[in-house]
Amino acid sequence: MNSEPTAPGECDGGVLSVCVLGSGSRGNSIYVSDGSTSILVDAGFSAREIDRRMRSQGFDPARLNAILITHEHTDHVRGVERLVRRHHLPVYLTAGTHRQAASLQCLPEIHPFVCGSELRINTLTVRPFSISHDAQDPAGFTIGANGSRIGIATDLGHVTALVREHLRGCRLLILEANHDPEMLMGGPYPWFLKQRIRSRNGHLSNQESCRLLEDILHPALEQVVLAHLSETNNTPAKALAEMSTLLSGTCVRLSAASQTAPSPLLRLQ
Ligand SMILES: [Zn+2]
Ligand SMILES: [Zn+2]
């Protein structure tokens, strides 16, 4: 844990900045900072890989303040234990997620949170909300600082009114666009897996993600990052095409997160 001021090259000015270090079924991790507090949302790559990706973008892993976890699936927690031991980090997660994740049983500093109850991580205000996914007690988040908020919702099979309510008003959104339904149903996955992905506890399709954005689109929205794209059942071009039509005529910047490489640093204006 570290409370020193931001190093040159890192985010500063109290403005929220985000870097998706990688996203997809082989690992997920998002770096969020307001210049004073820097956290990871999920650490689903190996600790070594997360360190490597952070350093490649100019972020010092030793300056992290905490790890916030969405749910216990390996693609979200793979590197948590080692990162915690290496950098002495507190971990924030639901009690259900903690119970389910064998690798997280012996962490030195656990902060359980309850979906629906706001929590503070130093200068960041985090509002966790329940999402529909085949995990014990999975969460999406809004993270706020200095009057701005970002929203993160990946790994959800179904968009509820609660999800829309939380994400409304965010200036940067990281939304799941997991699959193209035709590619999924015509693809190589076994039937049970196709069913699981399409279920209300599975993952959002490009079209479902687009409908979510349509419902919560507002004039102050600056950026949308599509995340958790399937490498088998989707392509960035397909995911972006759905959204580009919706966003044409707006100033919203749209991108798709990659599984293999970090995004540029996305700063709120
Ligand atoms: Zn996942
Ligand atoms: Zn999951």
Side-chain angles (χ1 to χ4, degrees), residues 24-25 28 70-71 73 75-76 133 154-155 176 203 228:
S25 60
N28 295 272
T70 57
H71 66 295
H73 290 161
D75 58 317
H76 298 262
H133 190 54
T154 67
D155 296 71
E176 169 159 63
H203 291 275
H228 220 299

